[in-house]
Amino acid sequence: MNISVIGSGYVGLVIGACLAKLGNTITLVDTDKDRVAAINNNVAYLYEVELDEILKQVHIEARTDYRGVTDSDIILICVDTPSDETGSISLKSIIEAAEQLAEEMEGKENYYVVVVKSTVTPGTTEEVVIPILEKSGGKIGVDFGVCMSPEFLSEGKAVQDFMHPARVIFGEYDKKSGDTLSNLYHNFNAPILRTNLRTAEMIKLASNAFLSTKISFINEIGNLCKQLGIDTYEVAKGMGFDERIGSKFLNAGIGFGGSCLPKDLKALITSSEQIGYKPRILQEVLDFNDKQALRLIELLKRHIALKGANIGLLGLSFKPGTNDMRDSSAIKIAQALFQEGAIVKAYDPLAAENFKRLFPQIEYTSKEDILNCDAILIITEWEEFNNLDYKGKIVIDGRRILKAKEARIYEGICW
Ligand code: NAD
């Protein structure tokens, strides 16, 4: 099929590359000139397993303007929808994308389907995106179709997640829109749920809210287990055999971060409040998570005075396998350490460059050098941290790196 992808970030670039690999003709559109130039040079400007290889195998045209996108059968909108200062989702990029698309749609006669893949709150596709697209003069259901199909890939294994999804959700304006989109997925071996637009939007937010809740839940159990001298990972293992619970997302630690879980949870909370419903469980999950990472500092203070101390951070990204540090717990931890007057050094195999933009005052060094600090905080569970020699060190571990237990003083956040 002929597919245009608007927005070539983590989601758009991975989807575009994967769909090109599956034999589709792909045009990527992004307002960021550097990203467009990198893609046209077949270079992945972001780190994602397998992505670089795929980009070298396929031909993708990337551009900064929207010319020709409506010649496609399907147009996927994958622009960013970050939190604004109130916690709501900022619709700035999606509104701009829809407006630019509407201009290009004027006078077009071929039928195509516009698919919102960006995460948005229920009602956004119907109340914001469709009215803008209709400004083109085209009639929805006749000249063009609309779907909302949330994306569930997770960074670090985005290619595999997109190629082998656990499920595919089509929120469809009408049957013709959904039928067109289903042509794109006919080779995928995944259950497909066809539903309406706002249900699809809610499925995405509810899924991320559930995962966030599961993490905060096990962290609460973990905090309790630590006080009781019980191994929280053994507890999680015992719980996980129950299919109703499942074993995933039960690793107690410093909490969730990243570009999706915190912002999607905040978006669900604020959109609920806007209609007069106070989501108490969700609010507590968020508040609890905000404090969890800082427990690492509290534990550290039991062993060392922070003023003037050299504190080394092992890991900066919000999880291994990515250089994305959006909403990473490392940000809160670094801020707290500076407030306490500590001198901070850091190592991350991929995310150091991105972190440097936020914290230029940190000394970015090798992992071996981090071991020379007065104390070490483990923030991301990079596999390579299992190969370090922690003997004689003070280590406070947020991620359960077993080798670190050899340290002279070792404390886990929940164990
Ligand atoms: P991103 O910030 O990495 O990329 C968004 C891209 O859109 C940027 O390259 C930006 O330049 C481009 N853009 C902005 N406005 C534009 C416009 N008007 N026209 C063309 N391009 C424009 O964001 P992302 O992480 O890829 O996320 C995209 C969406 O997918 C978000 O709604 C996010 O919540 C959702 N999502 C993300 C993930 C993830 O793991 N990152 C997973 C599932 C869903």
Side-chain angles (χ1 to χ4, degrees):
M1 294 180 90
N2 194 341
I3 315 289
S4 287
V5 182
I6 315 268
S8 313
Y10 278 85
V11 169
L13 182 56
V14 168
I15 293 181
C18 291
L19 290 177
K21 192 175 177 192
L22 293 173
N24 299 285
T25 303
I26 303 294
T27 305
L28 290 180
V29 178
D30 203 290
T31 43
D32 186 316
K33 287 194 202 78
D34 296 337
R35 291 185 172 191
V36 167
I39 297 164
N40 283 330
N41 286 323
N42 297 71
V43 173
Y45 67 85
L46 54 85
Y47 180 78
E48 197 51 66
V49 182
E50 294 179 64
L51 184 60
D52 219 21
E53 292 151 49
I54 299 178
L55 285 177
K56 290 198 168 35
Q57 292 159 10
V58 298
H59 173 73
I60 291 179
E61 190 200 336
R63 50 195 310 153
T64 51
D65 64 70
Y66 282 60
R67 252 180 310 129
V69 290
T70 49
D71 296 334
S72 309
D73 306 300
I74 294 176
I75 301 162
L76 303 172
I77 301 185
C78 302
V79 298
D80 46 304
T81 52
S83 293
D84 68 15
E85 55 294 339
T86 67
S88 297
I89 273 183
S90 162
L91 295 179
K92 184 175 173 288
S93 294
I94 208 158
I95 288 174
E96 282 171 8
E99 282 171 347
Q100 285 163 286
L101 192 52
E103 278 178 32
E104 188 56 33
M105 286 164 67
E106 278 177 34
K108 293 285 166 165
E109 286 179 0
N110 55 310
Y111 177 86
Y112 46 85
V113 175
V114 178
V115 183
V116 175
K117 287 205 72 70
S118 300
T119 305
V120 290
T121 47
T124 306
T125 304
E126 270 169 350
E127 290 155 24
V128 179
V129 178
I130 291 176
I132 297 173
L133 298 181
E134 284 182 317
K135 284 193 210 161
S136 64
K139 195 161 168 33
I140 187 166
V142 180
D143 299 311
F144 67 95
V146 169
C147 285
M148 194 287 148
S149 178
E151 183 50 55
F152 296 98
L153 60 75
S154 58
E155 287 173 26
K157 52 188 188 70
V159 169
Q160 284 303 315
D161 279 354
F162 181 76
M163 293 295 213
H164 307 285
R167 79 298 211 185
V168 180
I169 307 293
F170 296 169
E172 53 198 44
Y173 173 80
D174 58 5
K175 185 169 179 308
K176 191 176 175 190
S177 306
D179 287 348
T180 307
L181 183 56
S182 65
N183 292 329
L184 188 60
Y185 283 93
H186 75 277
N187 275 335
F188 283 67
N189 181 22
I192 293 180
L193 176 71
R194 292 178 66 162
T195 182
N196 61 35
L197 296 166
R198 52 181 64 213
T199 305
E201 291 164 332
M202 187 53 136
I203 288 170
K204 173 67 187 176
L205 290 184
S207 299
N208 275 355
F210 184 80
L211 294 176
S212 307
T213 305
K214 202 170 176 188
I215 295 171
S216 280
F217 175 85
I218 198 63
N219 286 344
E220 174 118 84
I221 297 294
N223 293 349
L224 192 56
C225 282
K226 182 174 172 75
Q227 247 171 280
L228 294 171
I230 296 169
D231 182 346
T232 177
Y233 274 59
E234 200 72 1
V235 171
K237 192 172 170 192
M239 288 166 65
F241 288 119
D242 185 333
E243 279 182 357
R244 295 168 305 172
I245 296 173
S247 57
K248 295 197 174 139
F249 274 66
L250 284 183
N251 296 336
I254 52 175
F256 56 85
S259 67
C260 289
L261 294 190
K263 77 134 169 117
D264 292 353
L265 184 59
K266 280 184 216 156
L268 190 52
I269 292 170
T270 46
S271 64
S272 307
E273 285 170 347
Q274 279 158 11
I275 55 164
Y277 180 81
K278 212 171 161 28
R280 284 164 48 208
I281 294 177
L282 302 184
Q283 186 65 56
E284 193 49 45
V285 169
L286 187 66
D287 295 345
F288 182 91
N289 190 62
D290 276 343
K291 292 186 200 99
Q292 184 69 3
L294 297 176
R295 268 176 62 88
L296 221 51
I297 309 282
E298 294 313 311
L299 293 173
L300 178 63
K301 280 180 7 191
R302 289 187 198 169
H303 302 284
I304 187 170
L306 290 183
K307 199 163 171 45
N310 272 301
I311 308 298
L313 308 183
L314 280 180
L316 297 169
S317 58
F318 77 98
K319 65 173 175 183
T322 180
N323 61 353
D324 196 348
M325 32 63 60
R326 290 180 280 184
D327 255 329
S328 166
S329 301
I331 298 173
K332 279 181 248 174
I333 290 169
Q335 279 164 345
L337 287 171
F338 282 122
Q339 267 166 17
E340 298 278 352
I343 299 156
V344 182
K345 289 187 175 191
Y347 167 78
D348 188 286
L350 290 177
E353 275 307 309
N354 286 341
F355 211 74
K356 202 181 273 181
R357 288 189 206 117
L358 276 186
F359 293 98
Q361 68 274 47
I362 289 179
E363 183 189 333
Y364 296 88
T365 182
S366 65
K367 52 187 180 247
E368 289 76 18
D369 191 34
I370 292 293
L371 295 177
N372 297 325
C373 290
D374 298 323
I376 298 149
L377 299 179
I378 301 180
I379 294 179
T380 317
E381 63 270 42
W382 287 103
E383 188 52 39
E384 60 188 82
F385 297 160
N386 263 309
N387 303 325
L388 295 174
D389 181 4
Y390 296 92
K391 285 188 210 93
K393 314 293 175 193
I394 301 176
V395 177
I396 312 295
D397 185 359
R399 297 296 186 183
R400 187 102 158 180
I401 298 291
L402 292 178
K403 187 82 185 317
K405 289 191 172 180
E406 294 173 356
R408 178 170 62 85
I409 296 176
Y410 173 87
E411 272 216 56
I413 187 164
C414 298
W415 53 91

